[in-house]
Amino acid sequence: MSTPINLEFNKNEDAMKMAISDLKKINEQVKLGGGKKSIERHKEKGKLTARERLELLFDKNKPTLEVGLLAAYDMYPEQGGCPSAGVVTMLGYVKGRLCMAVANDATVKAGAWFPMTGKKNLRAQEIAMENRLPIIYLVDSAGAFLPMQDEIFPDKENFGRIFRNNAVMSAAGIPQIAAIMGSCVAGGAYLPIMSDEALIVEGTGSVFLAGSFLVKSAIGEDIDNETLGGATTHCEISGVTDYKMKNDQECIEKIRSLIDKYGKPDKAGFDRAEPQKPAFPVEDIYGIFPEDMAKQYDMLELIKRLVDNSEVDQYKEEYGKSIICCYARIDGWAVGIVANQRKVVKSKKGEMQFGGVIYNDSADKAARFIMNCNQKKIPLVFLQDVTGFMVGSRSEHAGIIKDGAKLVSAVANSVVPKFTIIVGNSYGAGNYAMCGKAYDPRLIYAWPTSKIAVMGGEQAAKTMVQIQVSQLKAKGQEIKPEDEQALLQDIRAKYFKTLDPKYAAARLWTDGIIDPLETRKVISMGIEMADGAPITKAFNVGVIQT
């Protein structure tokens, strides 16, 4: 099927393609890690880069999905930055088995751990634990970044949580393999040794609680790092590591060989048919999604570009129209889709409903649909373009808070895997109700058009100006109109910076920013990984009854 093309479509398409082009340039720069000179120095030691190691690790004919590529983007300027948080985390296939891999990038501050490095590692472990994925650590790190040790060391979600997770995963039977391919010192030495199997590369890999300089200063012993904690020491004397490898290439091939022997995982049993492409061109998304976020579009038309054969079974099609709920298939997988409708629609009573707003009836519909998907063991996909819940006396008198609570409760207690794609706005309680990061989506990715905040930029800026002006007047200061306008411009600039999807991706509020054409791949790989984790809990919404 083809899509009618018009001037508005072409303008939208050009804007989306420009945003994707800009994103690709940033991605390529981030992938250079510490930069070309640092990469050259790294290779002079006989080592592959983190990304080269992963390229060898994963099957060539299978897709990969990077998690947190833009983590720490534009953060830590006083420390010279920390591209991709100094670690590459990626989902991919090893001998046909979907795995999570974590590879330290030693070209970035020698692989030192910044606060966001810890957060990103924990996110990778969280994905592995939730989905019972084998996890592979390619270790090459100088340890904690000491100038920021207070932000990486002591708290619950800091460095030590990683070793706790090592122990929990091992007890749960989730396979962990670690390869020591460079430095591995101090507390970080526990990570590979708390894994199920540990490999070490001769000449470059070393692991010890304290390096030779610290040993000298602490106990006066003179010893070199290789003798202290190199491959020969740990494979032939201490028995700390299990396999001694000649180089990076041999080490990675050994990992692939080990994983090839793993038994098959139990399945959750999600339904998959023969994958079909959408009947409408996926590329139409570029022209359908508006450049101007204030303009309407039909979310159903986007959905038809994402689902197999463009076929959907709408649930309560004529009720609660500001949210679309439908059953469909994505790359063969059966899914339940919950999506905000951005065009103005008529309610069951003939009243007009604003697009992107959650009303009483749409909250009720979505909550019931989520319950149905849990009962039928159908994974959920949330497509967010939401400005929040409807406000005003009519909605309050109708119980919008309670209806919203029903939806939030259904999302929070859902036991089937959830996947969230933020295509446009993601504001306030709408973010929560549509399965934002706080509600444990297995994966959460955003389009370049996404915006996450407690409210829209203009509303927030004007609200903050009113507050500041009131405070200044209370102190007896006279505020001229031009002063108020200057204050508004300053606040608007600062607030709009936080709306940028790169700001969210840098802080891991999302797992990354994707080209809309990658949406089907993200959801398909996500459900495949989730299918390896059988559902063990019963669905119960608690005290909020519908």
Side-chain angles (χ1 to χ4, degrees):
M1 299 184 189
S2 60
T3 304
I5 308 298
N6 54 40
L7 182 60
E8 190 70 25
F9 185 99
N10 290 336
K11 284 176 61 180
N12 294 340
E13 184 179 46
D14 289 344
M16 182 69 85
K17 286 183 175 179
M18 183 65 71
I20 292 166
S21 176
D22 291 343
L23 175 65
K24 286 180 177 178
K25 290 176 184 176
I26 292 169
N27 287 350
E28 290 307 309
Q29 183 62 41
V30 169
K31 287 177 181 179
L32 288 175
K36 293 180 179 179
K37 289 184 178 179
S38 184
I39 290 172
E40 288 172 7
R41 290 193 297 269
H42 181 83
K43 290 190 171 186
E44 285 170 2
K45 299 173 185 176
K47 299 197 288 186
L48 299 174
T49 66
R51 294 185 180 279
E52 287 171 338
R53 289 166 176 167
L54 292 175
E55 188 176 353
L56 283 179
L57 177 68
F58 291 132
D59 297 346
K60 298 291 184 292
N61 60 339
K62 292 277 193 175
T64 58
L65 179 61
E66 186 156 355
V67 176
L69 172 60
L70 294 180
Y73 178 77
D74 207 23
M75 295 175 69
Y76 312 123
E78 293 179 2
Q79 289 76 28
C82 186
S84 210
V87 62
V88 184
T89 53
M90 195 175 290
L91 288 162
Y93 297 83
V94 179
K95 293 289 186 176
R97 180 77 170 260
L98 190 56
C99 300
M100 169 59 77
V102 179
N104 297 115
D105 186 351
T107 71
V108 179
K109 304 290 192 297
W113 287 60
F114 281 66
M116 284 305 302
T117 314
K119 187 172 183 178
K120 186 171 175 180
N121 273 265
L122 288 171
R123 175 60 178 147
Q125 289 185 320
E126 178 184 41
I127 291 172
M129 286 190 285
E130 284 181 330
N131 300 287
R132 299 191 63 82
L133 294 177
I135 184 166
I136 302 156
Y137 307 99
L138 304 181
V139 184
D140 194 347
S141 172
F145 185 66
L146 290 179
M148 304 185 77
Q149 63 84 26
D150 60 319
E151 297 181 50
I152 185 63
F153 167 68
D155 209 349
K156 179 180 178 181
E157 301 297 332
N158 284 172
F159 200 41
R161 187 76 173 183
I162 292 163
F163 316 137
R164 174 264 186 193
N165 288 348
N166 289 142
V168 169
M169 282 191 279
S170 184
I174 299 170
Q176 300 174 86
I177 292 181
I180 302 163
M181 310 179 86
S183 297
C184 185
V185 299
Y190 285 102
L191 185 147
I193 312 311
M194 292 188 72
S195 299
D196 303 310
E197 294 183 283
L199 304 85
I200 186 167
V201 178
E202 288 186 274
T204 56
S206 60
V207 55
F208 31 64
L209 292 181
S212 55
F213 291 119
L214 183 54
V215 168
K216 174 67 175 175
S217 64
I219 64 173
E221 181 183 0
D222 283 309
I223 190 169
D224 62 89
N225 283 339
E226 184 65 24
T227 306
L228 182 65
T232 299
T233 294
H234 287 309
C235 284
E236 299 180 22
I237 301 173
S238 71
V240 166
T241 52
D242 307 307
Y243 306 93
K244 181 167 65 172
M245 300 289 107
K246 292 180 181 178
N247 51 43
D248 284 6
Q249 291 87 343
E250 185 182 77
C251 184
I252 289 168
E253 192 53 45
K254 175 63 76 174
I255 294 172
R256 288 177 54 81
S257 179
L258 292 170
I259 290 177
D260 192 37
K261 313 299 189 300
Y262 286 2
K264 294 187 181 300
D266 295 334
K267 295 292 184 181
F270 305 127
D271 186 69
R272 192 178 197 186
E274 185 68 27
Q276 303 285 335
K277 292 183 178 179
F280 292 100
V282 183
E283 294 80 3
D284 286 353
I285 291 172
Y286 292 171
I288 293 171
F289 196 89
E291 175 189 11
D292 183 351
M293 295 291 281
K295 290 188 176 180
Q296 299 179 44
Y297 69 93
D298 189 350
M299 174 61 84
L300 188 60
E301 293 302 315
L302 282 189
I303 293 172
K304 288 179 179 179
R305 271 76 182 173
L306 295 174
V307 303
D308 290 14
N309 210 33
S310 300
E311 294 177 348
V312 300
D313 297 310
Q314 282 206 65
Y315 173 78
K316 293 184 182 289
E317 183 176 354
E318 298 301 321
Y319 178 75
K321 291 184 177 181
S322 72
I323 288 183
I324 296 171
C325 296
C326 61
Y327 301 106
R329 290 188 183 274
I330 293 179
D331 200 32
W333 294 105
V335 296
I337 298 174
V338 182
N340 303 109
Q341 176 62 282
R342 261 277 292 277
K343 70 176 184 179
V344 174
V345 294
K346 281 188 178 180
S347 74
K348 60 184 180 296
K349 298 177 182 178
E351 300 162 346
M352 300 307 292
Q353 294 187 345
F354 297 103
V357 179
I358 301 175
Y359 288 77
N360 298 75
D361 52 2
S362 50
D364 174 69
K365 177 174 83 170
R368 291 176 182 274
F369 180 72
I370 290 166
M371 292 177 189
N372 285 350
C373 288
N374 275 271
Q375 183 188 51
K376 299 168 184 175
K377 204 157 66 171
I378 299 174
L380 286 159
V381 174
F382 293 83
L383 301 178
Q384 282 197 16
D385 192 353
V386 58
T387 52
F389 285 85
M390 189 59 190
V391 297
S393 60
R394 185 189 297 269
S395 292
E396 296 293 358
H397 294 173
I400 186 65
I401 295 174
K402 187 169 185 179
D403 286 327
K406 294 174 187 177
L407 176 53
V408 169
S409 182
V411 173
N413 288 293
S414 180
V415 296
V416 295
K418 300 166 291 196
F419 303 91
T420 301
I421 307 293
I422 304 173
V423 305
N425 299 320
S426 180
Y427 293 156
N431 170 282
Y432 302 156
M434 292 295 294
C435 196
K437 184 64 181 287
Y439 288 79
D440 299 322
R442 298 291 177 97
L443 294 172
I444 176 168
Y445 280 86
W447 288 2
T449 45
S450 64
K451 291 178 173 61
I452 304 175
V454 74
M455 66 175 69
E458 289 300 331
Q459 302 98 305
K462 289 175 181 177
T463 300
M464 288 189 285
V465 165
Q466 290 171 5
I467 293 170
Q468 290 198 25
V469 168
S470 297
Q471 290 174 341
L472 292 171
K473 286 181 177 178
K475 294 177 181 178
Q477 296 185 31
E478 181 183 352
I479 305 299
K480 298 177 181 178
E482 55 267 29
D483 295 332
E484 188 170 331
Q485 189 61 32
L487 186 59
L488 176 62
Q489 294 300 327
D490 182 56
I491 291 174
R492 181 187 284 131
K494 291 177 181 176
Y495 194 85
F496 271 81
K497 183 180 178 181
T498 68
L499 292 179
D500 190 303
K502 294 189 292 296
Y503 189 92
R507 288 151 182 82
L508 289 178
W509 301 348
T510 66
D511 291 319
I513 308 171
I514 57 169
D515 182 331
L517 305 189
E518 295 180 278
T519 304
R520 278 171 55 86
K521 180 187 85 168
V522 168
I523 294 168
S524 179
M525 286 185 71
I527 298 176
E528 182 175 352
M529 74 178 186
D531 197 38
I535 297 171
T536 57
K537 292 170 59 179
F539 176 71
N540 190 325
V541 292
V543 297
I544 302 294
Q545 299 299 320
T546 60

